[in-house]
Amino acid sequence: MEHKEQLKKSKVIKIDSIKSWEHHISHATNQNYPVVVHFTAFWCVPSIVMNPFFQELASTYQNVLFLTLDVDEVKEIASKLEIKAMPTFLLLSGGAPVDKIVGANPDEIRKRIDEFIHSTPTYKSV
């Protein structure tokens, strides 16, 4: 129940371990929630600048799971998904990547997330 509340409020969840990643991706997949992940690094100014924008997106799209992951904290996930630059935004459906946006371009990110979410068959806008 608590997890559903988190999704309903749609706040950004920080991923700090492989276990945390697997838990959230598995739950989103089981619930048919689209997932948007912001790959960041504490030393990357463009990533840090994107944080408020990403928070805004999380409050805009109610039935989407928004995750943030510091590539230096969870290197295995970043490596597995071939994240080579920050910020990178990864869009996942059914646990599988469907789109990747590299760089701090709010207009492009918003456009691609909007297209992705509205092309997701199970997405229900609020």
Side-chain angles (χ1 to χ4, degrees):
M1 179 67 182
E2 179 184 306
H3 202 65
K4 276 194 173 176
E5 284 302 309
Q6 269 187 325
L7 285 173
K8 201 172 190 181
K9 290 178 191 168
S10 194
K11 66 178 192 152
V12 177
I13 298 170
K14 183 175 180 5
I15 299 299
D16 57 7
S17 67
I18 293 173
K19 188 175 179 180
S20 172
W21 170 264
E22 289 171 348
H23 170 77
H24 288 291
I25 296 301
S26 171
H27 184 77
T29 300
N30 291 338
Q31 298 295 317
N32 291 318
Y33 279 105
V35 180
V36 180
V37 187
H38 175 199
F39 288 90
T40 184
F42 76 91
W43 46 262
C44 177
V45 174
S47 281
I48 293 165
V49 169
M50 293 303 290
N51 286 335
F53 171 73
F54 198 63
Q55 289 283 352
E56 177 196 324
L57 287 174
S59 59
T60 302
Y61 298 103
Q62 298 300 306
N63 293 320
V64 178
L65 179 61
F66 283 82
L67 305 175
T68 186
L69 185 149
D70 186 304
V71 297
D72 293 322
E73 287 180 20
V74 195
K75 292 178 181 159
E76 300 87 351
I77 301 297
S79 175
K80 180 181 171 189
L81 294 169
E82 300 181 1
I83 305 303
K84 299 184 183 346
M86 276 64 66
T88 293
F89 298 86
L90 191 64
L91 313 179
L92 299 126
S93 181
V98 294
D99 197 3
K100 185 188 282 188
I101 308 148
V102 179
N105 182 338
D107 292 337
E108 182 66 16
I109 293 163
R110 186 183 305 273
K111 178 179 150 241
R112 303 248 301 264
I113 289 174
D114 197 53
E115 289 169 358
F116 161 65
I117 288 168
H118 290 98
S119 71
T120 303
T122 55
Y123 179 76
K124 297 174 188 74
S125 52
V126 182

